[in-house]
Amino acid sequence: MPRPLGELEDAVMTRVWQWNRPVTVREVLEDLQQERSIAYTTVMTVMDNLHQKGWVRREAEGRAYRYTAVSTRAAYSAALMNEAWSTSDNPAAALVAFFGMMSAEQRDALRDAFRIVGYDDGSAVEPAAEPAAGATAGSAAQPPAGAPAAAPPEVLPAEGDSAGRGTESGR
């Protein structure tokens, strides 16, 4: 599973992903130098480390290498999210907490993603328009229209504990 990139690794990979073509150390260096003072050997070392870690592949061109991203930034981000989610001792509570942190734009992107992968039949993303039979005024609040259905109450975080620690007994 991927580890988060360090600050300089992320700065280098950002350029590789944005340019979406084979790049040289010199090109990355010149672009980075617009923001900070940095040595050629530092960028060369970072790009070599990224190659060793499998983030980029390289091909010799004369006395230099041209580096190309192995995967997209979206795939990298998805792998990080999957890793974080899979390490939770209560994945449903982690998702509920994550959804609670999302901005309106992020919720819109989530709905779009559900539609793209085929979860647009209403079963996964569209809550009931009206409270279910037997619901009362004291029932839990409904999620915003189009938001994913909330997890069952037994996996929700305890009050004041957005991380969901200690919400399940017997563990």
Side-chain angles (χ1 to χ4, degrees):
M1 285 297 175
R3 288 183 34 220
L5 296 172
E7 181 183 342
L8 188 53
E9 289 174 324
D10 185 65
V12 169
M13 284 305 300
T14 294
R15 279 135 181 100
V16 174
W17 282 319
Q18 285 176 341
W19 296 340
N20 197 28
R21 62 174 173 76
V23 300
T24 64
V25 170
R26 175 78 48 204
E27 291 172 307
V28 174
L29 170 71
E30 290 172 359
D31 200 59
L32 284 170
Q33 285 179 331
Q34 294 177 23
E35 299 172 4
R36 63 176 104 182
S37 177
I38 190 166
Y40 180 92
T41 53
T42 301
V43 177
M44 183 176 64
T45 299
V46 168
M47 293 186 83
D48 184 60
N49 290 343
L50 289 167
H51 175 257
Q52 297 297 323
K53 292 177 179 181
W55 287 107
V56 294
R57 69 178 132 260
R58 66 183 179 195
E59 292 186 31
E61 184 177 282
R63 293 177 42 196
Y65 287 110
R66 286 212 172 260
Y67 294 84
T68 308
V70 170
S71 67
T72 65
R73 181 168 209 127
Y76 163 72
S77 297
L80 285 178
M81 288 188 289
N82 187 57
E83 172 71 8
W85 183 50
S86 68
T87 61
S88 173
D89 63 345
N90 190 338
L95 282 175
V96 170
F98 179 67
F99 293 152
M101 295 177 195
M102 296 175 87
S103 68
E105 294 80 18
Q106 290 169 323
R107 288 189 302 273
D108 288 343
L110 180 63
R111 280 189 288 277
D112 291 343
F114 274 127
R115 281 190 287 278
I116 289 168
V117 297
Y119 291 119
D120 62 352
D121 64 357
S123 65
V125 295
E126 298 296 332
E130 298 180 47
T136 65
S139 294
Q142 293 293 318
E154 64 272 13
V155 296
L156 292 175
E159 186 174 311
D161 185 1
S162 63
R165 293 179 296 272
T167 59
E168 289 185 88
S169 59
R171 280 206 169 187

